[in-house]
Amino acid sequence: MFAVTGITGQVGAVVGAKLLERGLPVRACMRNADKAGSWRDRGAEIAIAEMTDAAALGAAFAGAEAVFLSIPPAFDPASGFPQAKIIIEALKTALVKAAPTKVVCLSTIGAQAKEENLLTQLGLVEKALSALPMPIAFLRAGWFMENSAWDIAAAREGVMPSFLQPLDKPFPMVGVRDVGAVAAEMLQADWTGKRIVELEGPYRITPLQMAKTFATVLGRPVHAEKVDRDAWEALFRSQGMQNPGPRMRMLDGFNEGWIEFEGGEAGSRKGETPFEAAIRALVERG
């Protein structure tokens, strides 16, 4: 049995589908029972559990050979990341109780960064779960290409605002289908102790190249436009954020280069999805 959390999300959905395609038993772990129908129809067992509920998680993981963990993203966390710490404690309790043979956890590029930023949440997850008694693997993924969904509306008007800077700097990005496929592969592998896999796309891409790709896909001119660092806080607060500091420091980390894979570009595994394919899929989905 493979227990998959976050199965209604982008990466978890790929993980679940890949395992089911191989005829493997899947327990779809989700927070909302209303989303269970399609997975039940595909043959998955359903488990309902909040990521803060240790007892429900323990029941969801019981009897599983392997567990895939996808921590719910918190883009506007309170100071000190209290919500992430509650989830961590619930996961530790549940995993110790269920004692699966192995665990694969979706993490992020820069999880090892020393400076506090939005991705520190997953650094805390890695540190805490590394102490568990079963083999555990962390899949550190690059910036999701699918984050560009937020840019489509502006690109249709001819501009792609960019927080990633400078505009000619290549950034490590990866498609969610590649992330899910590698995670499913890792769940079926055997290892001992802690394992780290760092994953990005087939090549790094600059914001200028991103805008050019939007132009190709949309069939109209699109140019990249830098969003000045001095404007970030007011902009994020106007969008409803209460604590934009961690997000701003994450962007600083990408731009300044201290958010990077531990093994650098040379040491990362490369996915297959090109940026244009990811953008075309987003545009086609509307």
Side-chain angles (χ1 to χ4, degrees), residues 152-198:
I152 293 175
R156 290 188 188 280
E157 301 300 319
V159 178
M160 189 201 78
S162 181
F163 296 96
L164 296 175
Q165 305 162 12
L167 298 179
D168 59 354
K169 177 180 178 178
F171 291 92
M173 300 189 179
V174 66
V176 294
R177 292 197 62 80
D178 288 340
V179 180
V182 171
E185 172 191 308
M186 292 168 66
L187 285 165
Q188 298 170 72
D190 293 314
W191 72 93
T192 58
K194 183 174 80 169
R195 180 187 182 199
I196 293 175
V197 174
E198 298 184 314

Side-chain angles (χ1 to χ4, degrees), residues 51-52 71-90 108 110-111 113-128 241-251 258-259:
M51 293 295 280
T52 55
I71 313 302
F75 298 110
D76 188 19
S79 179
F81 311 110
Q83 186 67 11
K85 291 175 181 177
I86 292 171
I87 291 172
I88 288 168
E89 289 306 311
T108 178
K114 298 291 189 289
E115 294 202 39
E116 185 172 290
N117 68 94
L118 193 65
L119 306 181
T120 298
Q121 298 171 91
L122 286 167
L124 295 173
V125 171
E126 285 198 16
K127 182 177 180 180
M241 293 189 71
Q242 301 297 310
N243 183 30
R247 182 180 179 187
M248 293 166 63
R249 289 304 288 154
M250 176 193 72
L251 292 167
W258 50 266
I259 288 182

Side-chain angles (χ1 to χ4, degrees), residues 75 146-155 161 214 247 282:
F75 298 110
E146 286 73 14
N147 289 342
S148 294
W150 297 100
D151 300 321
I152 293 175
F214 270 113
R247 182 180 179 187
L282 289 173

